[in-house]
Amino acid sequence: MARVIAITNQKGGVGKTTTAVNLGASLAASEQHTLVIDCDPQGNTTSALGFPKDPARRTLYQALMLDEPIERIILDAQVEGLDLIPSDKNLVGAAVELVNLENREYRLKALVAGIQARYNYVLIDCPPSLDLLTLNALAASDSVLVPIQCEYLALEGVSELLDTLMRLRRTINPSLAIEGILLTMYDDRTTLSKQVAADLRSFFGAQVFETVIPRNVRLAEAPSHGMPVMFYDIHSKGAESYIQLAKEVIANAQKRVGQGIERADSGAGSGSSGTSASAAAGAGSVGSASTSDDSGGNGGSSGSGTV
């Protein structure tokens, strides 16, 4: 059965869509059959994979609200081993229409369950909010991957998100774990990026992926060409980083299989007070999936430069 990973952070502009597209392509290139679900009404993941806006295209909205068979929604993402469930602006309406439905938080989970056996990984790109679409994504997921921009304001968002995940474990999805915290837009030329990375690793320990995603112009350019960065410029720092991230995600999955359990680990170091400390406390309550120490990824304090 596929491991279902929600890529979420209620803060916008932290790299959720970039991660969904490029991690999905990198997993597929590693011979891991992967499905990317665009759960954001903006449809950026859909367009970044080469599908321009098309009102006639069936999307996640039809599957969630109109009972369209999910098999008819899935698109070949033009990358071997990578499929896509597209999105469009109609999903804005779904967030409202779901309110009065029975089992409204589990609609997406039911859809994913029907196709989960076909894939090794299912990645869900969540909207930058904590609405019913995000709740559906978290209810359907085994774990959460949290992209965090290397800026101090991002630390506050981590605290709020992990508090929310803690509540969700009590009510909607008791088995929800943290796949990992991903440092994005890292610039090793700045003291700020290095300090934020060091703080996050101090508080969250093994929950933070070894791989970091650098600020990289190729990552920004690739969506305009409708392709993942590894097909736009395989030698760019962005492409190399997402390939390393895919290796780390696969290594973590192999660890879980080898252990026969999903190891819970707070990953939080000691801290005094403030936002980061409260975030760490939330992380300990949520639990995590362990991250690999030998993935070959970039270290937090010596990440890749820019292209």
Side-chain angles (χ1 to χ4, degrees), residues 249-260:
V249 169
I250 294 169
N252 293 342
Q254 292 171 344
K255 280 185 178 182
R256 284 186 292 268
V257 171
Q259 292 170 351

Side-chain angles (χ1 to χ4, degrees), residues 8-300:
T8 186
N9 189 329
Q10 76 273 23
K11 190 176 186 301
V14 298
K16 293 186 295 295
T17 295
T18 299
T19 297
V21 170
N22 292 294
L23 176 57
S26 297
L27 287 169
S30 300
E31 300 183 347
Q32 302 292 317
H33 196 191
T34 301
L35 172 67
V36 175
I37 300 177
D38 190 352
C39 202
D40 187 346
Q42 297 179 79
N44 291 334
T45 296
T46 302
S47 59
L49 284 171
F51 296 93
K53 296 185 185 300
D54 181 2
R57 183 189 299 127
R58 288 172 292 197
T59 67
L60 181 59
Y61 175 83
Q62 278 75 23
L64 277 177
M65 307 308 305
L66 304 179
D67 296 323
E68 183 82 15
I70 193 68
E71 294 82 0
R72 298 182 184 178
I73 307 296
I74 298 174
L75 301 176
D76 183 342
Q78 307 174 70
V79 175
E80 185 177 357
L82 182 65
D83 292 338
L84 169 71
I85 293 180
S87 168
D88 66 4
K89 62 183 180 182
N90 288 323
L91 272 182
V92 174
V96 177
E97 296 169 35
L98 283 168
V99 171
N100 297 320
L101 296 182
E102 187 176 357
N103 293 323
R104 59 192 180 188
E105 299 93 347
Y106 302 102
R107 303 276 292 189
L108 183 58
K109 182 176 182 178
L111 293 176
V112 171
I115 56 174
Q116 200 169 351
R118 302 182 186 182
Y119 298 96
N120 299 106
Y121 291 92
V122 175
L123 307 180
I124 306 177
D125 181 25
C126 298
S129 61
L130 292 174
D131 59 11
L132 275 172
L133 290 174
T134 301
L135 289 180
N136 265 264
L138 295 175
S141 299
D142 298 308
S143 61
V144 178
L145 190 157
V146 185
I148 298 178
Q149 187 176 357
C150 288
E151 295 182 359
Y152 275 113
L153 289 178
L155 298 176
E156 296 182 3
V158 180
S159 177
E160 294 173 5
L161 179 62
L162 295 182
D163 285 345
T164 299
L165 295 180
M166 184 170 59
R167 291 194 295 271
L168 287 175
R169 285 196 64 177
R170 293 197 297 261
T171 57
I172 293 177
N173 187 353
S175 62
L176 186 65
I178 295 182
E179 186 71 22
I181 295 171
L182 177 66
L183 302 176
T184 63
M185 305 181 191
Y186 181 86
D187 188 345
D188 65 352
R189 298 171 300 181
T190 67
T191 301
L192 176 62
S193 286
K194 293 178 181 179
Q195 187 61 55
V196 171
D199 287 349
L200 285 169
R201 292 187 188 280
S202 173
F203 283 108
F204 295 103
Q207 285 183 307
V208 182
F209 284 109
E210 289 295 317
T211 305
V212 299
I213 309 301
R215 284 193 179 275
N216 182 254
V217 68
R218 296 292 184 256
L219 279 175
E221 292 173 349
S224 67
H225 295 271
M227 63 180 69
V229 69
M230 67 182 302
F231 295 102
Y232 178 63
D233 185 353
I234 185 62
H235 300 295
S236 67
K237 294 295 184 180
E240 293 172 359
S241 294
Y242 275 109
I243 290 170
Q244 289 297 326
L245 178 63
K247 291 179 180 179
E248 198 168 346
V249 169
I250 294 169
N252 293 342
Q254 292 171 344
K255 280 185 178 182
R256 284 186 292 268
V257 171
Q259 292 170 351
I261 57 173
E262 180 141 332
R263 183 167 68 87
D265 179 16
S266 69
S270 60
S272 52
S273 60
T275 301
S276 298
S278 62
S285 301
V286 174
S288 72
S290 62
T291 54
S292 173
D293 290 329
D294 56 357
S295 65
N298 299 316

